[in-house]
Amino acid sequence: MASGVEELLDMLFEMVDDAKNAPLSTDKFVLERDQVLDLIDDIRSQFPMELTEARKMMARRAEMEAEAKRKADAIVRSAEERAKQLLASDSIVLQARQRANDMMRQAEERSRELKRSANDYCEDALRRTEEAVAEAYNEIKQSRSRFRAAAAAISASPPSGPAPGGRSVYDAAADQN
């Protein structure tokens, strides 16, 4: 017995091809009825198996297509998610850069403000120091002037000997030369 429908059909074809022509006809031929019917029965018996196999193959093909579509969809979803993450990451980086720039701008402004305050403080401290030094200088000049006046008054009076207690008096005018 043949293994498949195709072989059985080939056998049937050979049978028809090899058949002898019917007497007085070129279109008709003679076949052994039982042999042809047996082949047709074998073909019919093979059809359900082959149809079942073909249906199984079609189902497997449909499953494979569905699985491939699911995988493709998963890949597309994964790529879209990754793209969203990259965009979000870029957005975060952009926000971080913007924040860093803002912080640098604020730090520079604060630095300028601190420099200005430090300069103002130093200017004020130097002004007050200058005023204090000028006041001290004026006081020194006044003290020196009073001292000279006192020394001159003592020098103008007649020498009566050493000052009381046996000490000599300092002469600033003589020391100035």
Side-chain angles (χ1 to χ4, degrees):
M1 182 172 165
S3 63
V5 172
E6 286 184 29
E7 287 182 36
L8 292 171
L9 287 173
D10 287 341
M11 289 171 63
L12 182 60
F13 181 81
E14 285 177 29
M15 212 182 258
V16 170
D17 194 37
D18 293 343
K20 295 182 182 177
N21 287 342
L24 303 172
S25 173
T26 57
D27 298 2
K28 296 181 185 179
F29 53 90
V30 177
L31 290 174
E32 286 187 41
R33 179 183 174 108
D34 289 337
Q35 243 185 344
V36 171
L37 289 175
D38 285 343
L39 273 174
I40 292 173
D41 281 342
D42 285 345
I43 290 171
R44 281 186 179 157
S45 69
Q46 289 288 321
F47 262 135
M49 284 191 305
E50 294 218 359
L51 286 175
T52 303
E53 296 239 357
R55 285 185 185 124
K56 285 181 184 177
M57 288 176 72
M58 293 295 285
R60 270 186 268 159
R61 180 179 173 215
E63 287 175 13
M64 290 172 69
E65 286 176 352
E67 179 65 22
K69 184 168 179 7
R70 280 193 299 274
K71 286 182 179 179
D73 289 344
I75 290 170
V76 167
R77 278 193 306 273
S78 175
E80 287 173 346
E81 184 62 31
R82 181 68 179 140
K84 286 179 186 176
Q85 288 174 348
L86 289 174
L87 286 175
S89 175
D90 285 347
S91 175
I92 290 171
V93 167
L94 186 61
Q95 288 175 356
R97 284 185 181 152
Q98 182 63 37
R99 180 72 178 130
N101 289 339
D102 289 345
M103 291 174 72
M104 287 296 293
R105 194 171 25 260
Q106 289 174 355
E108 288 171 355
E109 287 175 14
R110 181 71 177 140
S111 173
R112 282 192 296 273
E113 183 181 318
L114 287 173
K115 284 179 185 177
R116 191 172 37 252
S117 295
N119 287 341
D120 289 348
Y121 174 78
C122 287
E123 180 67 28
D124 185 54
L126 288 172
R127 181 189 50 77
R128 283 183 283 134
T129 302
E130 184 180 13
E131 288 172 358
V133 167
E135 189 176 317
Y137 178 69
N138 287 336
E139 207 173 295
I140 289 170
K141 280 176 39 179
Q142 288 174 358
S143 294
R144 189 170 178 204
S145 191
R146 283 191 305 262
F147 178 75
R148 280 189 192 151
I154 292 176
S155 296
S157 67
S160 57
R167 291 191 233 153
S168 61
V169 177
Y170 174 72
D171 185 5
D175 194 32
Q176 199 176 32
N177 294 328

